[in-house]
Amino acid sequence: MEEYHSGEEVPFNPDEAINCVKECIEGIIGGVDYNQNKVNQWTASIVEHSLTQLVKQGKPFKYIVNCAVMQKSGAGLHTANSCYWDTATDGSCTVRWENRTMYCVVSVFAVAVAV
Amino acid sequence: MDELQSAEETAFAVDEITDIIKEAVETTIGTSSYQHNRINQWTSSVVEASLNQLTKLGKPFKYIVTCIILQKNGAGLHTASSCFWDNTMDGSCTVKWENKTMYCIVSIFGLAI
């Protein structure tokens, strides 16, 4: 059940954000194996690029982009998040990506700003 | 919306929040060893308990709490986050906790309303 507000308030569109983030991930770690020396650089690039692309969409949101890259070595990893916000306008999406040697989980949170 | 609040009431209080999170993590997994079948429950409890305590502070913020629990197995884990917000009023803090069998990383983001 959604209320559509005509005029300024637009709810967060997760599909656009998911596509944007997938492209950023592929572009940065698409064809590479886990490399301890470079992983710092990768996580920083992924969050920066994703954020830049999201901001370019020009929507009235504050964004938080979170990225975790983990080496595939049999360890268990669980993440959870909980948000206290305005459910009519704010939203989040999470992209899970993997290749042969690592997992990458990127979460985007978008919080509406008063226009 | 009342905008005439003093700076202390509306600033993101990193220290207070760090303490709240440490307590939530200790209470939930303080004495436990990594267990695959309980992990879902633990991550949910940590974020819920943290969020409940944060909202009790009664400050004019929206909150996002994320929790990562990782088994100690030699795997490498890196996380990064980037935020597009109001630098003067919004803030974040991260708490890293560990015991003999697992790491727990909790991040809080607070956005002023």
Side-chain angles (χ1 to χ4, degrees), chain A residues 13-52:
Chain A
N13 181 346
D15 298 320
E16 264 184 81
I18 288 175
N19 287 334
C20 187
V21 168
K22 275 186 182 160
E23 267 176 46
C24 288
I25 297 176
E26 282 288 335
I28 294 168
I29 53 175
V32 297
D33 287 344
Y34 182 85
N35 180 337
Q36 193 192 1
N37 300 327
K38 294 196 167 164
V39 67
N40 249 343
Q41 205 177 310
W42 290 337
T43 47
S45 298
I46 290 171
V47 293
E48 275 176 46
H49 283 204
S50 304
L51 193 61
T52 310

Side-chain angles (χ1 to χ4, degrees), chain A residues 34 36 39-40 43-44 47-48 51 55 59 61-86 89-90 107 109-113, chain B residues 34 36 39-40 43-44 47-48 51 55 59 61-86 89-90 107 109-113:
Chain A
Y34 182 85
Q36 193 192 1
V39 67
N40 249 343
T43 47
V47 293
E48 275 176 46
L51 193 61
V55 169
K59 301 195 174 173
F61 285 105
K62 292 180 179 179
Y63 294 102
I64 290 163
V65 180
N66 203 37
C67 167
V69 173
M70 186 175 95
Q71 187 180 16
K72 274 189 174 177
S73 80
L77 172 78
H78 273 254
T79 71
N81 56 64
S82 190
C83 310
Y84 178 73
W85 56 25
D86 180 342
T89 53
D90 306 331
S107 296
F109 301 92
V111 175
V113 280
Chain B
Y34 183 85
H36 177 67
I39 196 91
N40 252 341
T43 46
S44 301
V47 294
E48 275 177 46
L51 202 56
T55 53
K59 298 198 175 176
F61 280 99
K62 293 181 178 179
Y63 294 104
I64 292 160
V65 181
T66 69
C67 168
I68 295 177
I69 296 184
L70 173 69
Q71 187 181 13
K72 275 190 174 177
N73 188 8
L77 171 77
H78 275 254
T79 70
S81 50
S82 190
C83 312
F84 178 71
W85 59 23
D86 182 337
M89 313 221 290
D90 305 329
S107 294
F109 302 92
L111 295 113
I113 295 175

Side-chain angles (χ1 to χ4, degrees), chain B:
Chain B
M1 178 62 65
D2 182 4
E3 287 171 305
L4 302 173
Q5 284 171 328
S6 68
E8 289 126 33
E9 279 178 24
T10 54
F12 185 76
V14 177
D15 298 324
E16 221 181 326
I17 289 175
T18 303
D19 291 337
I20 288 175
I21 305 309
K22 281 189 178 155
E23 219 184 289
V25 174
E26 280 289 334
T27 314
T28 310
I29 55 175
T31 54
S32 314
S33 292
Y34 183 85
Q35 270 178 72
H36 177 67
N37 52 3
R38 296 189 67 186
I39 196 91
N40 252 341
Q41 199 181 316
W42 286 338
T43 46
S44 301
S45 297
V46 169
V47 294
E48 275 177 46
S50 306
L51 202 56
N52 277 336
Q53 293 300 107
L54 288 170
T55 53
K56 279 189 189 161
L57 294 176
K59 298 198 175 176
F61 280 99
K62 293 181 178 179
Y63 294 104
I64 292 160
V65 181
T66 69
C67 168
I68 295 177
I69 296 184
L70 173 69
Q71 187 181 13
K72 275 190 174 177
N73 188 8
L77 171 77
H78 275 254
T79 70
S81 50
S82 190
C83 312
F84 178 71
W85 59 23
D86 182 337
N87 279 331
T88 54
M89 313 221 290
D90 305 329
S92 70
C93 72
T94 303
V95 174
K96 290 176 225 37
W97 179 95
E98 66 179 284
N99 68 10
K100 253 190 342 131
T101 54
M102 53 188 172
Y103 295 103
C104 178
I105 301 168
V106 181
S107 294
I108 315 296
F109 302 92
L111 295 113
I113 295 175

